[in-house]
């Protein structure tokens, strides 16, 4: 495109209206005639301004801008658009791409996760313990700092970093390519019926990677009401921190119900079922919110479909690692460190015999059982609020602590990984878990408060205590109601 | 040892505490009760004034019955209310029944102004549905002070009409441009809707459901005893005379022809067809309208249907070399002329 400034000329077209016949000039008479004139006008003065400005701009552009022939590019865009938004191909393409990204994230993260865990947990942790022993650090300081703060932080890094380092760049590539707005375009009809914006599909997909990043991704929604809906419901997108929990529990309890050759398929369907339930809940809750508490918020719709462009791979990887991965990880670490201290302290401070953890578990157990869960699970969800990733290790540690399993675990307040699915299953059995516990844990993992990183992000994005509280408490309340109902119905029939 | 409960001083202290708690100025239950009653009384008086004001404007005589009906009281309660208003020099009996004193008229104008400004505020800065505006403003009008109302008017850019087309009073009074009911219009006349009656709400809801809104240009085609037949925003519409009586219109003076004739809603365009935007319907207000203007959808802009989404809503349009998806309910409010 070339611009020839000399031919632009003087602006024209902004000619004033016919002057009003009002010879005696004083302030009051001018104001009176202005007021009368405003009442006569059938259109809005500001709109006429905008119209005139656009008109002038396009007049200038027409005279001084010449365009090279862009037809080939345009036709290619059109062909791609026809395919990815077509009635028959649109949805399958989306489904395949998204499943592929999720699969790559979940299965691809295992190897690097294991490697980081080997270094941070298998090598650095014993070495730190050794140093502490060498300088004869008091046992409580050693426990608090190394078994509490360090271990929780290292754990969060090893399980959080690899999936995010895979998911975010892939997602950003699709974004950069120009494909994601087409997804919003395809899905808007469904979201519209729930009172939401098609772009919520993008923040929701991001939520499958990480809810905190998903909440940030709602910035693309420029309509206040729909953006709040997307923020509040993002928690129903099963995040990376919860997929491993779902897969572990489904493998042990649901897969164990059927013959070995079917186990993989059945447990995978159970996990997918939970994720789909999350999607369904997103729509139901969006629908309810848009008709009740968010009714008065401003709602507008606009969706631009930018031209496709080849993705800038290196730049994308760089920015997605810095902007998203490191950012989210840093926030998680900031919250994980104190939580590690809390986890160690509740297991090691004793009040008249039992530790605080045991007291709390004992106290919450009746309530937990009413929900088809138990006290251990509830306490784990309270102390492991910084990251869903450390819920299972905390549950295992607390189970060993309370069920008195000998020969397992690393000691009070020390999170551990039993090493194999069978060993984990044995610990759950020792903790008195049943199929109901497993099903309700899967449901509660989907419907509970967002992690502290997400809660903090919601507060930063909305700037409102009210919406943050709603987004945090509503899912827990729903989780309590659902698990309670399931437990009662289950006990009625089983 | 003597129990504390037998000490008279203790009981004096307890009663003093209870008394203080109940009658604490501004806080205690007694004061709250009193304030609530005062608030309710204020609402009744202001609603009564509004009723007298609107009836006098339309030159309908005001009676105790009509006032009782307007504020939902029985006849004797209404008489008491009138007596109280007379005492505060807001009302007096004139030649043709109840009339407002200058003080009463000023207060009535303030309430009407607060009501219409609040409706404008709801229409322009919130996402509430048109049918919710009136009831919310009916509550809000009683709690705004004149200073707050002025601040509200300033923040809205001193609007002249509310979203129903009613003029917003200023300190000088109301200046309603002349208009007449749609039922009195003549066939082939080009008119602009200037006002939709928002009371009773049922009628207003029905008019909104018919797609009518102030600012809409219409052309009457035919008038019979059963219905009025007219064209508005590219659609042929029929309205029963009972409903049409609640629509006020004004002849279009500087009629430039674009709103009528060939103007059709954007969603009537098929894939690949091109058109020119001639107007954005007045029903599209506030942030929604500004959003469309931001996107360059303004009279004169060329627009072309690029592709529908898999479920046909939204549809992508090409405007000013950009692909923009619009939902069908938005496209309906953009009026175009085929090129």
């Amino acid at each position: 495109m070339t611009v020839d400034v000399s031919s632009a000329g003087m602006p024209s077209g902004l000619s004033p209206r016919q002057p009003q016949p009002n010879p005696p000039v004083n302030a009051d008479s001018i104001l009176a005639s202005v007021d009368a004139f405003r009442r006569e006008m059938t259109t809005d003065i500001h709109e006429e301004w905008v119209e005139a400005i656009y008109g002038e701009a396009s007049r200038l552009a027409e005279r001084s801008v010449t365009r090279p022939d862009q037809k080939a590019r345009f036709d290619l865009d059109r062909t791609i658009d026809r395919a990815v938004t077509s009635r028959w191909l649109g949805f399958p393409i989306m489904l395949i791409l998204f499943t592929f990204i999720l699969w790559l994230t979940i299965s691809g993260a295992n190897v690097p996760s294991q490697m980081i865990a080997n270094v941070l947990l298998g090598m650095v942790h014993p070495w730190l313990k050794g140093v502490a022993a060498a300088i004869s650090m008091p046992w409580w300081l050693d426990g608090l700092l190394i078994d509490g703060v360090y271990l929780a932080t290292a754990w969060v890094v090893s399980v959080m970093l690899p999936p995010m380092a895979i998911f975010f760049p892939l997602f950003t590539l699709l974004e950069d390519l120009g494909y994601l707005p087409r997804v919003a375009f395809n899905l808007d009809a469904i979201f519209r019926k729930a009172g939401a914006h098609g772009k919520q599909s993008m923040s929701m997909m991001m939520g499958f990677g990480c809810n905190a990043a998903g909440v940030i991704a709602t910035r693309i929604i420029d309509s206040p009401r729909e953006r709040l809906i997307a923020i509040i419901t993002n928690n129903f997108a099963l995040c990376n921190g919860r997929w491993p929990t779902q897969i572990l529990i489904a493998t042990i309890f649901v897969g164990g119900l059927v013959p070995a050759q079917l186990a993989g398929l059945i447990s995978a369907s159970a996990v997918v079922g939970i994720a789909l339930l999350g999607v369904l809940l997103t729509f139901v809750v969006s629908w309810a919110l848009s008709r009740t508490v968010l009714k008065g918020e401003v709602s507008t719709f606009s969706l631009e479909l930018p031209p496709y462009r080849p993705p800038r791979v290196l730049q994308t990887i760089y920015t997605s690692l810095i902007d998203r991965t490191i950012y989210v990880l840093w926030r998680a670490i900031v919250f994980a460190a104190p939580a590690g201290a809390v986890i160690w302290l509740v297991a090691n401070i004793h009040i008249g015999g039992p530790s605080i953890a045991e007291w709390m578990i004992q106290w919450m157990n009746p309530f937990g059982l009413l929900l088809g869960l138990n006290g251990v699970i509830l306490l784990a969800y309270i102390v492991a609020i910084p990251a869903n990733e450390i819920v299972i290790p905390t549950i295992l540690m607390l189970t060993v602590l309370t069920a008195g399993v000998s020969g397992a675990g690393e000691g009070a307040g020390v999170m551990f990984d039993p090493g194999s699915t069978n060993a984990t299953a044995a610990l759950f059995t020792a903790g008195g878990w049943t199929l109901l516990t497993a099903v309700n844990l899967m449901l509660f993992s989907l419907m509970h408060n967002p992690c502290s990183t997400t809660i903090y992000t919601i507060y930063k994005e909305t700037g409102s205590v009210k919406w943050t509280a709603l987004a945090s408490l509503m899912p827990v309340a729903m989780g309590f109601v659902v698990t309670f109902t399931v437990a009662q119905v289950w006990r009625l029939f089983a | 040892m003597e129990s504390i409960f037998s000490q008279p001083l203790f009981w004096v202290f307890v009663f003093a505490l209870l008394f203080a708690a109940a009658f604490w100025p501004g806080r205690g239950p007694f004061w709250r009760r009193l304030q609530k009653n005062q608030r309710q009384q204020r609402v009744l008086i202001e609603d009564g004034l509004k009723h007298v004001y609107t009836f006098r404007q339309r030159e309908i005589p005001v009676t105790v019955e009509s006032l009782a009906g307007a504020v939902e009281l029985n006849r004797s309660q209404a008489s008491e209310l009138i007596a109280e208003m007379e005492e505060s020099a807001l009302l007096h009996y004139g030649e043709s029944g109840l009339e407002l004193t200058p003080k009463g008229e000023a207060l009535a104008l303030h309430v009407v102004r607060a009501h219409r400004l609040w409706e404008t505020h709801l229409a322009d800065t919130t996402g509430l549905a048109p049918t919710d505006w009136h009831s919310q403003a009916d509550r809000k009008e009683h709690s705004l002070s004149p200073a707050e109302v002025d601040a509200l008017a300033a923040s809205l850019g001193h609007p002249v009409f509310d979203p129903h087309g009613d003029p917003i009073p200023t300190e000088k009074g109301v200046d309603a441009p002349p208009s007449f009911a749609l039922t009195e219009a003549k066939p082939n006349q080009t008119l602009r809707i200037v006002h939709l009656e928002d009371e009773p709400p049922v009628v207003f809801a029905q008019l909104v459901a018919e797609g009518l809104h102030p600012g809409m240009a219409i052309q009457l085609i035919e008038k019979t005893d059963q219905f009025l037949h007219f064209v508005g925003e590219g659609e042929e519409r029929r309205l029963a005379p009972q409903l049409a009586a609640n629509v006020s219109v004004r002849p279009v003076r500087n009629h430039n022809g674009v709103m009528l004739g060939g103007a059709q809603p954007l969603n009537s365009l098929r894939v690949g067809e091109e058109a020119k935007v001639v107007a954005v319907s007045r029903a599209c207000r506030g942030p929604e309208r500004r959003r469309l203007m931001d996107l360059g959808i303004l009279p004169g802009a060329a627009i072309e249907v690029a592709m529908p989404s898999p479920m046909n809503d939204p549809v992508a349009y090409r405007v000013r070399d950009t692909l923009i998806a619009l939902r069908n309910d938005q496209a309906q409010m953009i009026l175009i002329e085929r090129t």
Side-chain angles (χ1 to χ4, degrees):
Chain A
M1 183 155 62
T2 52
V3 181
D4 175 13
V5 184
S6 64
S7 68
M10 288 298 289
S12 70
L14 288 169
S15 61
R17 285 169 175 276
Q18 290 297 308
Q20 300 286 308
N22 51 346
V25 180
N26 64 51
D28 285 341
S29 74
I30 294 175
L31 283 177
S33 60
V34 165
D35 198 50
F37 181 57
R38 284 189 70 198
R39 275 160 213 283
E40 278 302 308
M41 270 184 64
T42 46
T43 54
D44 186 278
I45 182 84
H46 305 101
E47 274 172 40
E48 302 218 347
W49 266 106
V50 177
E51 221 173 283
I53 291 168
Y54 264 102
E56 184 59 26
S58 57
R59 189 190 67 84
L60 287 176
E62 233 162 76
R63 275 174 54 177
S64 39
V65 179
T66 47
R67 291 155 204 281
D69 194 20
Q70 287 189 329
K71 203 166 178 311
R73 222 356 252 290
F74 180 71
D75 283 345
L76 178 66
D77 268 22
R78 214 159 227 209
T79 316
I80 300 175
D81 266 342
R82 288 238 172 84
V84 299
T85 66
S86 87
R87 192 168 300 221
W88 307 115
L89 284 174
F91 291 115
I93 290 175
M94 284 188 309
L95 203 66
I96 290 168
L97 266 176
F98 190 61
T99 316
F100 175 72
I101 289 183
L102 265 188
W103 173 80
L104 205 64
T105 308
I106 292 166
S107 62
N110 276 338
V111 180
S113 258
Q114 201 53 54
M115 278 159 57
I116 297 176
N118 282 344
V119 174
L120 292 182
L121 307 177
M123 285 156 69
V124 178
H125 183 242
W127 177 78
L128 282 173
K129 293 291 273 190
V131 171
I135 60 168
S136 52
M137 199 187 256
W139 71 272
W140 55 268
L141 191 62
D142 161 68
L144 182 65
L145 290 182
I146 300 174
D147 292 336
V149 174
Y150 171 77
L151 200 60
T153 315
W155 205 291
V156 165
V157 171
S158 73
V159 287
M160 230 174 171
L161 181 60
M164 285 201 289
I166 297 173
F167 185 84
F168 288 154
L170 284 177
F171 198 80
T172 317
L173 276 179
L174 280 187
E175 209 172 12
D176 207 35
L177 194 66
Y179 176 66
L180 290 187
R182 270 75 184 178
V183 174
F185 181 59
N186 285 348
L187 292 173
D188 183 67
I190 305 170
F191 280 92
R192 181 175 51 90
K193 289 196 179 107
H197 196 296
K199 284 185 193 165
Q200 191 176 331
S201 59
M202 286 148 79
S203 65
M204 199 169 107
M205 278 189 267
M206 186 60 111
F208 279 107
C210 169
N211 293 134
V215 169
I216 296 174
T218 61
R219 284 180 190 170
I220 52 169
I221 304 173
D222 49 13
S223 167
R225 185 200 291 169
E226 282 77 2
R227 174 149 190 239
L228 273 173
I229 290 176
I231 288 176
I232 295 171
T233 58
N234 197 273
N235 188 40
F236 294 115
L238 203 62
C239 72
N240 256 330
R242 293 181 273 173
W243 284 102
T245 309
Q246 299 284 352
I247 293 169
L248 178 74
I249 304 294
T251 311
I252 295 175
F253 288 94
V254 182
L257 291 176
V258 292
Q261 63 269 30
L262 283 175
L265 183 71
I266 295 295
S267 52
S269 337
V271 176
V272 172
I274 291 285
L276 290 179
L277 177 66
V279 175
L280 182 73
L281 284 173
T282 302
F283 287 118
V284 172
V285 173
S286 299
W287 182 85
L289 286 174
S290 69
R291 273 155 189 79
T292 53
V293 286
L294 296 178
K295 201 171 142 194
E297 300 288 327
V298 170
S299 164
T300 64
F301 177 84
S302 72
L303 174 61
E304 214 191 302
L305 304 173
Y308 293 99
R309 60 175 183 207
R312 297 155 299 176
V313 179
L314 290 177
Q315 197 178 345
T316 301
I317 290 174
Y318 175 79
T319 51
S320 62
L321 282 182
I322 299 298
D323 291 354
R324 285 172 175 159
T325 312
I326 300 298
Y327 171 82
V328 172
L329 193 67
W330 173 244
R331 272 195 187 173
I333 288 172
V334 168
F335 285 107
V342 170
I343 291 171
W344 189 84
L345 288 174
V346 292
N348 282 285
I349 296 180
H350 296 261
I351 300 173
S355 60
I356 295 180
E358 284 163 290
W359 279 116
M360 287 181 79
I361 289 167
Q362 214 170 38
W363 178 68
M364 285 191 293
N365 216 24
F367 182 59
L369 291 175
L370 205 61
L371 301 178
L373 300 167
N374 59 42
V376 168
I377 296 174
L378 292 184
L379 180 62
Y381 269 103
I382 294 172
V383 294
I385 191 171
N388 281 296
E389 282 87 346
I390 55 172
V391 165
I392 288 291
T394 310
I395 286 178
L396 290 174
M397 183 273 286
L398 292 173
T399 304
V400 171
L401 193 73
T402 50
V405 185
S406 55
E410 307 275 328
V414 189
M415 293 187 292
F416 69 100
D417 179 2
S420 73
T421 312
N422 284 339
T424 314
L427 281 177
F428 285 149
T429 318
W433 287 38
T434 62
L435 183 60
L436 171 65
T437 321
V439 170
N440 274 0
L441 177 60
M442 287 173 80
L443 288 170
F444 194 69
S445 163
L446 176 71
M447 285 175 267
H448 70 91
N449 55 286
C451 66
S452 51
T453 312
T454 307
I455 295 176
Y456 179 66
T457 310
I458 293 174
Y459 178 71
K460 288 272 276 191
E461 294 295 313
T462 60
S464 141
V465 176
K466 181 180 156 197
W467 299 129
T468 312
L470 179 70
S472 311
L473 299 177
M474 184 192 59
V476 199
M478 286 171 66
F480 284 160
V481 171
V482 169
T483 50
F484 175 79
T485 315
V486 169
Q488 300 317 308
V489 173
W490 189 289
R491 283 171 189 151
L492 211 62
F493 291 103
Chain B
M1 200 177 127
E2 213 176 339
S3 158
I4 191 169
F5 296 110
S6 55
Q7 302 249 346
L9 203 63
F10 170 76
W11 289 109
V12 169
F13 184 69
V14 166
F15 277 115
L17 217 64
L18 281 176
F19 184 83
F23 292 93
W24 196 268
R27 280 284 182 86
F30 173 78
W31 283 90
R32 290 230 171 135
R33 195 67 190 260
L34 201 70
Q35 278 175 341
K36 200 179 164 202
N37 283 346
Q38 280 172 347
R39 251 201 318 275
Q40 279 172 347
Q41 198 61 20
R42 181 179 163 186
V43 169
L44 282 178
I45 289 176
E46 291 182 349
D47 280 345
L49 286 176
K50 221 167 58 168
H51 168 75
V52 178
Y53 175 80
T54 39
F55 265 44
R56 305 255 15 149
Q57 282 264 310
R58 293 186 208 158
E59 289 163 3
I60 310 169
V62 182
T63 61
V64 179
E65 283 79 13
S66 76
L67 192 128
V71 297
E72 290 171 2
L73 289 178
N74 63 35
R75 205 174 177 284
S76 68
Q77 286 170 318
S79 308
E80 265 175 53
L81 183 69
I82 291 170
E84 200 192 320
M85 286 158 81
E86 276 191 278
E87 213 167 281
S88 359
L90 297 168
L91 278 184
H92 66 87
Y93 279 97
E95 294 148 24
S96 54
L98 278 170
E99 281 174 15
L100 293 169
T101 62
K103 185 184 165 195
E105 181 157 341
L107 185 52
L109 271 179
H110 160 73
V111 177
V112 171
R113 178 167 153 85
H115 180 99
R116 294 184 180 166
L117 277 169
W118 193 253
E119 284 187 326
T120 313
H121 160 74
L122 293 179
D124 285 356
T125 57
T126 73
L128 283 174
T131 41
D132 290 334
W133 297 337
H134 185 79
S135 57
Q136 294 230 354
D138 254 352
R139 281 195 297 277
K140 191 73 187 178
E141 64 190 10
H142 304 296
S143 59
L144 291 171
S145 71
E148 283 170 329
V149 171
D150 286 343
L152 183 65
S155 75
L156 293 169
H158 300 285
V160 184
F161 296 104
D162 80 354
H164 303 108
D166 283 313
I168 295 171
T170 57
E171 55 274 23
K172 286 177 215 129
V174 207
D175 179 19
S179 64
F180 49 87
L182 179 56
T183 39
E184 286 158 32
K186 292 179 204 68
N188 284 325
Q189 218 176 353
T190 301
L191 308 153
R192 189 182 293 281
I193 297 178
V194 291
H195 176 237
L196 297 179
E197 187 50 56
D198 53 350
E199 255 181 349
V202 192
V203 170
F204 178 66
Q206 233 167 322
L207 294 173
V208 168
E210 292 284 346
L212 305 184
H213 52 86
M216 187 182 205
I218 58 171
Q219 195 156 21
L220 195 61
I221 297 172
E222 195 187 356
K223 200 162 86 171
T224 70
D225 291 344
Q226 280 83 41
F227 58 84
L228 285 98
H229 186 187
F230 59 95
V231 186
E233 295 189 345
E235 260 180 61
E236 289 199 17
R237 298 159 195 271
R238 271 159 209 265
L239 210 58
Q242 296 92 308
L243 271 178
N246 293 290
V247 179
S248 308
V249 292
R250 199 155 41 127
V252 175
R253 224 176 297 166
N254 55 345
H255 164 228
N256 48 13
V258 283
M259 288 286 279
L260 303 162
Q264 281 173 321
L266 178 59
N267 58 351
S268 65
L269 220 56
R270 302 272 145 257
V271 177
E273 281 184 320
E274 282 176 47
K276 200 179 80 183
V277 177
V278 294
V280 177
S281 161
R282 287 268 131 203
C284 175
R285 305 178 56 97
E288 176 121 49
R289 191 178 186 86
R290 288 197 290 275
R291 168 66 55 208
L292 290 181
M293 295 203 304
D294 291 345
L295 295 173
I297 298 172
L298 284 155
I303 194 163
E304 178 201 340
V305 182
M307 62 192 174
S309 65
M311 282 171 275
N312 286 324
D313 187 6
V315 173
Y317 299 92
R318 184 167 290 282
V319 193
R320 300 182 199 274
D321 285 334
T322 318
L323 261 191
I324 291 167
L326 295 175
R327 288 178 174 173
N328 286 344
D329 51 359
Q330 283 176 302
Q332 206 171 3
M333 294 197 279
I334 298 166
L335 303 177
I336 48 120
E337 215 164 41
R338 267 165 225 222
T339 46

